[in-house]
């Protein structure tokens, strides 16, 4: 099914579907008149005598150099090829597709000056699965994501590399194999394609979508851990959270209360429990995970706006009859959003890791065996699984340091303040993978702990989660090779299998 995009009106849910599904993408036909009107204004400017940045001038520090009309196509081609300076690993296919779709959305607003043929080629490449090979390092997030977007644009010209049917090949061969032809860029088109925030925004959106899965899973793993250590649900009482008023906190407490409803384990120690309060990692989950969810919601609103924005330069203002230089390519909003997502991911992992540590410690776990093994001493159980979570938690804390505060001047000081949004967003993938594992290990430990509480049972909802987990990973009776078990549990967090069907906080 083709996903139809109306520029300026695409929501996060559509973008996530696009990213996860790999479905073909097209702009709504209603975008065409504005695109063509902007292209006509650029054509007129290219044929005129007045210097217009990026249309008949050089770029950046070379903006004062006037380019003859006969050389405008060469100017755009040279721009693309000279800016293909990316290094590092190739961007994954799903995020590459999202980046291309975001570029369609941006030029689709009718303020960039590209011709309709360029839009059609990007759409056709997405439909047929011709994806540019885009190195993921080299952008400082202003003036746009120049290097990665240049690699994308180069593929439209038949330059660089592309993947097609699972094989990387020269872009010209990939286009030909798919029955497509490269284009020749008209005035300003090269600049419109590479001047923008679509690489940073795509990576940040991918990080957001993964972070939401982790945030929602953390509500479930905490509920499991709470029953495993026979923790109290009193801190989940709605009045506590409504008195403070933060939406994320209220939502987390409400969801955790609901999925723990009916737990025999919880009911068994309402009376006569000598403990007064649980440690913060249990008691303060709504406050911590809820604050993280509020951050994700805020970042999501920023990224939804940016996904629908025009972020190249100069902008073609058709109604005013002007082509005007500005600074929409500066990815500061994206960088801030990525930094916020990183903080949220780090903190969700930090509090989850403390719950893992709680469960393996016999002095704190309320009579669970040391390291959750039935025969401690001969067996080490989850001893080193907990250490692994500590390592990943610490790594995420380091990665959560802000990137947007680290500007540096580039391009002969013409571009003297930059956002660093690209690697602010790119690190989120690594951080989310780390958090997948932390939460996966928490689920394994909590399920093991709940097993030790038999014949008492957890709630029906949580028993369903344990059953799903046990379909892939059996309980640990004696020491075995745990790396595969951890990988399976982490995958179930990442793909949402462990929380499917549960009513958990959403992105709105």
């Amino acid at each position: 099914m083709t996903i139809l995009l109306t520029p300026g009106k695409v929501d996060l849910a559509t973008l996530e579907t696009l990213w996860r599904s790999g479905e073909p993408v097209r702009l709504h036909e209603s975008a065409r008149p504005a695109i063509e009107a902007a292209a006509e204004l650029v054509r007129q400017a290219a044929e005129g005598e007045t210097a217009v940045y990026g249309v008949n001038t050089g770029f950046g520090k070379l903006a004062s150099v006037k380019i003859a009309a006969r050389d405008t196509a060469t100017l755009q081609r040279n721009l693309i090829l000279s800016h293909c300076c990316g290094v590092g690993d190739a961007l994954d296919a799903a995020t590459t597709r999202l980046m291309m779709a975001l570029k369609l959305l941006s030029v689709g607003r009718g303020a960039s000056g590209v011709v309709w043929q360029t839009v059609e080629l990007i759409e056709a490449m997405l439909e047929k699965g011709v994806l540019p090979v885009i190195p993921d390092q080299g952008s400082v997030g202003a003036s746009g994501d120049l290097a990665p977007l240049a690699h994308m644009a180069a593929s439209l010209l038949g330059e660089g590399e592309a993947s097609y049917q699972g094989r990387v090949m020269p872009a010209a061969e990939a286009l030909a194999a798919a029955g497509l032809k490269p284009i020749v860029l008209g005035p300003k088109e090269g600049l419109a394609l590479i001047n923008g925030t679509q690489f940073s925004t795509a990576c940040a959106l991918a990080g957001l979508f993964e972070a939401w899965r982790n945030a929602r899973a953390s509500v479930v793993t905490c509920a499991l851990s709470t029953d495993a250590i026979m923790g109290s649900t009193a801190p989940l009482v709605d009045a506590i959270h409504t008195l403070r008023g933060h939406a994320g906190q209220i939502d987390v407490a409400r969801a955790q209360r609901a999925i723990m409803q009916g737990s025999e384990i919880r009911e068994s120690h309402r009376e006569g429990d000598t403990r007064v309060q649980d440690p913060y990692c249990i008691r303060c989950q709504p406050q911590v995970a809820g604050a993280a969810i509020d951050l994700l919601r805020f970042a999501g609103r920023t990224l939804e706006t940016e996904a629908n924005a025009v972020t190249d330069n100069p902008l073609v203002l058709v109604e005013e009859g002007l082509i005007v230089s500005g600074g929409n390519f500066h990815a500061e909003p994206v960088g801030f959003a990525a930094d916020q997502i990183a903080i949220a991911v780090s903190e969700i992992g930090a509090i989850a890791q403390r719950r893992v540590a709680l469960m393996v410690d016999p002095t704190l776990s309320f009579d669970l065996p040391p390291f959750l093994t039935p025969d401690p001493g001969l067996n080490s159980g989850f001893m080193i699984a907990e250490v692994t979570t500590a390592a990943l938690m610490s790594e995420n804390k380091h990665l959560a340091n802000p990137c947007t505060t680290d500007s540096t001047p580039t391009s002969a000081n013409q571009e003297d303040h930059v956002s660093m949004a690209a690697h602010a967003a790119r690190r989120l993938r690594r951080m989310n993978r780390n958090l997948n594992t932390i939460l996966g290990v928490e689920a394994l430990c909590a399920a093991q702990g709940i097993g030790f509480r038999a014949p008492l049972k957890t709630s029906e909802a949580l028993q369903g989660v344990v059953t799903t987990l046990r379909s892939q990973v059996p309980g640990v009776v004696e020491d075995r090779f745990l790396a595969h078990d951890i990988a399976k549990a982490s995958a179930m967090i990442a793909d949402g299998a462990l929380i499917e069907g549960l009513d958990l906080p959403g992105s709105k």
Side-chain angles (χ1 to χ4, degrees):
M1 181 184 72
T2 299
I3 298 174
L4 205 59
L5 303 177
T6 301
K9 297 181 179 179
V10 176
D11 60 18
L12 287 175
T14 301
L15 293 169
E16 183 168 6
T17 298
L18 189 162
W19 179 67
R20 292 192 187 280
S21 71
E23 296 288 348
V25 172
R26 289 196 178 276
L27 287 186
H28 194 281
E29 188 69 23
S30 62
R32 185 167 185 168
I35 291 172
E36 292 181 336
E40 174 59 21
L41 190 58
V42 168
R43 185 192 65 78
Q44 294 172 13
E47 294 177 354
E49 295 300 320
T50 303
V52 179
Y53 174 69
V55 176
N56 54 12
T57 73
F59 307 104
K61 199 73 170 179
L62 303 175
S64 59
V65 179
K66 183 76 161 54
I67 306 299
R70 65 180 181 275
D71 292 327
T72 53
T74 302
L75 174 70
Q76 299 302 312
R77 181 179 178 82
N78 288 349
L79 172 71
I80 299 302
L81 297 180
S82 68
H83 284 53
C84 286
C85 296
V87 298
D89 297 329
L91 187 65
D92 65 280
T95 310
T96 299
R97 291 179 52 82
L98 180 57
M99 186 183 85
M100 295 169 73
L102 293 178
K103 181 53 75 175
L104 285 175
L105 281 174
S106 183
V107 302
R109 295 286 297 275
S112 300
V114 303
V115 299
W116 189 252
Q117 180 189 9
T118 300
V119 170
E120 288 180 319
L121 181 55
I122 297 173
E123 291 175 339
M125 290 172 69
L126 286 168
E127 180 182 4
K128 294 179 180 293
V130 179
L131 299 182
V133 174
I134 299 171
D136 66 359
Q137 291 176 278
S139 173
V140 295
S143 169
D145 294 315
L146 293 171
L149 286 171
H151 284 272
M152 183 203 78
S155 68
L156 307 182
L157 311 182
E159 299 287 349
E161 291 184 322
S163 66
Y164 179 62
Q165 295 184 343
R167 191 164 64 89
V168 173
M169 62 187 77
E173 291 182 18
L175 291 173
L180 303 175
K181 294 181 180 180
I183 57 173
V184 176
L185 296 176
K188 192 190 174 296
E189 284 198 285
L191 196 57
L193 291 172
I194 71 169
N195 212 234
T197 67
Q198 287 75 37
F199 174 84
S200 295
T201 305
C203 291
L205 283 167
L208 176 70
F209 301 147
E210 291 179 331
W212 263 112
R213 282 236 172 125
N214 276 321
R216 298 173 85 238
S218 77
V219 178
V220 176
T221 58
C222 180
L224 289 167
S225 297
T226 301
D227 252 4
I229 62 107
M230 301 187 85
S232 174
T233 55
L236 301 176
V237 169
D238 192 55
I240 295 173
H241 307 288
T242 55
L243 280 169
R244 196 174 196 187
H246 293 296
Q249 177 179 329
I250 293 167
D251 291 346
V252 169
R254 190 169 292 159
Q256 189 172 332
R257 241 185 4 258
I259 60 180
M260 294 189 71
Q261 186 68 36
S263 167
E264 293 178 3
I265 297 173
R266 173 63 188 111
E267 296 304 319
S268 72
H269 61 98
R270 283 190 184 273
E271 304 293 335
D273 194 331
T274 58
R275 297 170 297 172
V276 178
Q277 297 182 128
D278 293 317
Y280 288 180
C281 64
I282 298 292
R283 191 174 7 136
C284 299
Q285 166 74 352
Q287 288 80 1
V288 175
I293 281 173
D294 284 338
L295 264 188
L296 295 180
R297 287 171 174 163
F298 182 83
R301 290 192 293 272
T302 297
L303 294 176
E304 184 176 270
T305 298
E306 189 74 4
N308 287 282
V310 185
T311 57
D312 61 287
N313 182 63
L315 296 181
V316 184
L317 309 180
V318 174
E319 290 187 8
E320 294 83 353
L322 298 173
I323 301 175
V324 183
S325 288
N328 281 3
F329 51 73
H330 200 297
E332 197 85 351
V334 181
F336 281 171
D339 280 346
Q340 290 166 334
I341 296 167
I343 291 169
V345 168
S346 179
E347 281 299 278
I348 291 169
I351 196 168
Q353 197 283 327
R354 297 317 304 153
R355 294 192 292 268
V356 174
L358 179 70
M359 287 185 281
V360 301
D361 186 343
T363 64
L364 298 173
S365 64
F366 201 57
D367 299 328
L368 290 176
F371 303 107
L372 300 168
T373 176
D375 189 9
L378 179 63
N379 294 282
S380 296
F382 287 89
M383 179 188 293
I384 304 304
E386 185 269 329
V387 174
T388 296
T389 65
L392 299 179
M393 173 190 69
S394 183
E395 184 176 305
N396 272 4
K397 287 179 181 178
H398 170 73
L399 290 170
N401 280 291
C403 295
T404 46
T405 54
D406 185 26
S407 178
T408 188
T410 63
S411 193
N413 280 296
Q414 176 75 8
E415 298 160 8
D416 59 352
H417 182 278
V418 298
S419 71
M420 298 301 180
H423 63 267
R426 189 166 48 84
R427 69 182 155 162
L428 297 176
R429 186 175 185 86
R430 178 176 168 189
M431 293 184 70
N432 275 304
R433 293 293 178 270
N434 289 345
L435 183 51
N436 292 157
T437 301
I438 294 170
L439 296 176
V441 171
E442 183 183 9
L444 291 172
C445 289
Q448 186 87 353
I450 286 171
F452 285 119
R453 303 300 182 187
L456 296 174
K457 296 179 180 179
T458 188
S459 69
E460 183 178 347
L462 291 179
Q463 187 54 53
V465 175
V466 173
T467 299
T468 300
L469 181 65
R470 288 288 175 252
S471 70
Q472 296 288 322
V473 184
V476 177
V477 178
E478 57 185 17
D479 283 352
R480 64 173 187 252
F481 190 88
L482 283 180
H484 293 328
D485 295 345
I486 293 171
K488 289 176 182 177
S490 302
M492 297 176 84
I493 297 290
D495 65 18
L498 214 57
I499 61 172
E500 189 172 350
L502 297 177
D503 186 12
L504 298 167
S507 59
K508 299 293 186 183

